[in-house]
């Protein structure tokens, strides 16, 4: 009997290693063909990992990307903000069904009494976008004042709260950074500390995420990759528009590494950040298959459907993907520093090959 069990284990192990090799071969081939620049980590349920880096963190100095390179993670930041909000719910300090003004009494606009915390989490608030960026061409021609001029988080909140709602709360999905800026201010108000201090104390320090934090224009972050993008049809990589990254605040101001985000994934999906029941609430898909800070849907692979969650991030040249196959406990982290690929398509293709 022991021999049979051993043979079965050996066969399973052989299939797993073959799968890992197939994923590695695909990722290497894709990166070389499409000039991918960044780091990719895949972790299977047994702890087996694929860890690859490609391209340059700094093009003029020819500094290579490595697994230790830190990247801007853009809207993956929203997932951290969602966790901090749900921790407050578990501490009975916050009720998702209460309106904004319950926790921010000085929120001036009509949304203060009409928009709930839950509607901020799932982007159904009806708040107008405060950055007013509709397309890349307009940003290049007219600039992006809300990101290119210094703003405090209080100034951002004042700007958000001054406008009228553009839709009835709860009725439409409208992806909007303003929602998560408000959530960040609620976190800061309830803890009596700046958002990034709460983030550090509640998530980064406990998980030993020593390569993660919040970006500030004036700070030099060791090992942080520069970011490059295609500003026009010529498809020539250029430096990004100069911005104040902290103006993305709780919606998109963080940096991290693939391994730090792996630590975050391990903690999130194993009940060490929020309870399993709270996690299920987080990933329950609503409008546009969006939960609380992430997309949640079914991925078809190898003839079967698998529940997955995805949190992408994109700001000019920064391209990030946080992806988890729920029923197989597979995590995929992609952090890139050029805007030359479709990262949504790539992470899906990797997942389909990683699933056993």
């Amino acid at each position: 009997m022991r021999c049979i069990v051993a043979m079965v284990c050996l066969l399973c192990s052989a299939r797993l290693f073959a799968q890992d090799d197939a994923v590695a071969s695909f990722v290497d081939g894709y990166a070389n063909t499409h000039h991918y620049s960044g780091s990719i980590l895949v972790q299977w349920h047994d702890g087996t990992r694929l860890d690859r880096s490609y391209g340059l963190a700094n093009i003029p100095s020819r500094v290579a990307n490595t697994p230790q390179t830190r990247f801007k993670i853009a809207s993956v930041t929203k997932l951290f903000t969602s966790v901090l909000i749900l921790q407050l719910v578990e501490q009975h300090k916050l009720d998702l069904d209460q309106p904004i003004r319950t926790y921010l009494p000085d929120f001036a606009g009509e949304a203060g009494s009409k928009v709930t915390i839950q509607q901020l989490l799932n982007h159904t608030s009806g708040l107008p976008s405060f950055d007013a960026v509709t397309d890349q061409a307009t940003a290049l021609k007219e600039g992006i004042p809300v990101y290119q001029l210094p703003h405090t988080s209080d100034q951002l909140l004042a700007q958000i709260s001054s406008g009228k709602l553009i839709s009835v709360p709860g009725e439409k999905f409208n992806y909007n950074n303003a929602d998560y800026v408000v959530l960040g201010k609620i976190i800061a108000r309830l803890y009596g500390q700046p958002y990034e201090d709460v983030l550090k104390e509640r998530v980064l320090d406990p998980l030993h995420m020593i390569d993660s934090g919040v970006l500030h224009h004036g700070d030099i972050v060791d090992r942080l990759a520069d970011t490059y993008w295609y500003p026009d049809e010529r498809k020539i990589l250029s430096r990004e528009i100069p911005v104040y990254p902290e103006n993305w605040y709780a919606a998109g101001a963080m940096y991290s590494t693939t391994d730090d985000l792996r630590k975050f994934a391990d903690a999130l999906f194993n009940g060490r950040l929020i309870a399993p029941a709270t996690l299920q609430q987080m990933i329950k898909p609503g409008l546009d298959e969006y939960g609380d800070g992430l997309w949640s849907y079914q991925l078809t692979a190898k003839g079967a459907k698998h529940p997955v969650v995805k949190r992408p991030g994109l700001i000019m040249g920064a391209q990030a993907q946080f992806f988890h196959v729920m029923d197989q406990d597979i995590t995929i982290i992609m952090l890139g520093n050029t805007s030359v690929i479709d990262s949504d398509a790539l992470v899906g293709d990797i997942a389909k090959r990683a699933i056993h």
Side-chain angles (χ1 to χ4, degrees):
M1 182 64 180
R2 288 180 181 174
C3 292
I4 295 173
V5 171
M7 286 179 64
V8 170
C9 291
L10 207 58
L11 288 170
C12 289
S13 178
R15 282 197 296 269
L16 183 60
F17 284 127
Q19 202 78 24
D20 298 352
D21 290 342
V23 173
S25 178
F26 169 74
V27 170
D28 288 344
Y30 185 99
N32 292 330
T33 302
H34 294 82
H35 307 291
Y36 178 72
S37 183
S39 293
I40 298 174
L41 183 149
V42 183
Q43 177 174 270
W44 282 266
H45 67 92
D46 66 345
T48 302
R49 285 181 215 157
L50 170 72
D51 205 352
R52 292 282 203 271
S53 294
Y54 309 91
L56 299 173
N58 180 279
I59 293 176
S61 298
R62 312 302 292 175
V63 177
N65 283 318
T66 74
Q68 288 73 46
T69 300
R70 295 163 168 174
F71 295 89
K72 302 168 187 175
I73 66 171
S75 285
V76 177
T77 304
K78 291 182 174 72
L79 191 52
F80 287 81
T81 300
S82 178
V83 165
L84 292 174
I85 286 289
L86 295 173
Q87 286 181 346
L88 284 165
V89 173
E90 291 185 339
Q91 296 165 27
H92 305 291
K93 294 179 179 178
L94 183 145
D95 183 341
L96 295 180
D97 294 324
Q98 289 296 310
I100 295 170
R101 203 168 286 142
T102 304
Y103 307 105
L104 297 175
D106 48 351
F107 193 96
E110 64 173 326
S113 60
K114 295 181 178 179
V115 174
T116 67
I117 311 308
Q118 180 60 63
Q119 289 160 349
L120 294 171
L121 280 171
N122 61 23
H123 290 305
T124 62
S125 69
L127 281 170
S129 176
F130 72 102
D131 52 28
V133 178
T134 55
D135 57 67
Q136 184 168 306
T138 303
L140 285 166
K141 182 180 179 181
E142 300 178 6
I144 319 172
V146 75
Y147 298 125
Q148 292 184 285
L149 296 173
H151 290 80
T152 66
S153 59
D154 285 338
Q155 290 171 330
L156 294 174
L157 184 67
Q159 185 172 336
I160 292 166
S161 65
S162 63
K164 290 188 174 295
L165 293 170
I166 60 173
S167 61
V168 176
E171 287 193 356
K172 293 182 180 179
F173 177 83
N174 178 36
Y175 187 80
N176 187 353
N177 285 331
D179 292 332
Y180 275 72
V181 171
V182 177
L183 289 170
K185 292 302 292 181
I186 289 171
I187 291 165
R189 181 68 63 90
L190 290 180
Y191 278 104
Q193 301 178 73
Y195 167 83
E196 62 187 279
D197 290 353
V198 179
L199 174 68
K200 190 173 187 298
E201 290 180 11
R202 298 288 309 177
V203 178
L204 304 185
D205 284 352
L207 299 183
H208 304 291
M209 295 177 64
I210 59 173
D211 286 315
S212 303
V214 173
L215 294 161
H216 292 271
H217 178 70
D219 294 346
I220 296 174
V221 178
D222 187 39
R223 292 181 280 113
L224 179 69
D226 290 332
T227 37
Y228 307 90
W229 71 329
Y230 290 151
D232 52 42
E233 296 299 323
R234 294 177 300 160
K235 302 296 184 185
I236 298 173
L237 281 176
S238 301
R239 291 189 180 275
E240 290 184 340
I241 297 173
V243 294
Y244 286 83
E246 61 266 40
N247 290 6
W248 272 278
Y249 191 52
M254 287 182 65
Y255 66 88
S256 191
T257 62
T258 51
D259 194 56
D260 263 11
L261 289 183
R262 175 198 61 78
K263 295 175 185 177
F264 177 73
D266 287 350
L268 178 62
F269 298 114
N270 287 286
R272 290 190 284 119
L273 284 172
I274 54 176
T278 306
L279 175 65
Q280 290 307 308
Q281 173 62 36
M282 170 191 264
I283 66 176
K284 182 180 179 182
L287 298 180
D288 198 58
E289 298 183 312
Y290 196 81
D292 293 344
L294 42 66
W295 275 269
S296 179
Y297 59 97
Q298 299 281 321
L299 176 74
T300 300
K302 297 180 172 63
K305 290 185 179 296
H306 302 272
V308 301
V309 295
K310 180 172 74 172
R311 175 62 265 179
L314 173 63
I315 297 176
M316 291 181 279
Q319 286 196 338
Q321 292 283 348
F322 178 97
F323 195 99
H324 191 77
V325 184
M326 298 296 295
D327 61 342
Q328 298 214 351
D329 192 23
I330 297 172
T331 295
I332 303 169
I333 308 295
M334 289 174 44
L335 300 179
N337 64 318
T338 62
S339 61
V340 302
I341 65 159
D342 182 342
S343 65
D344 285 304
L346 177 56
V347 77
D349 287 341
I350 293 173
K352 289 174 183 177
R353 289 165 172 80
I355 288 171
H356 296 105

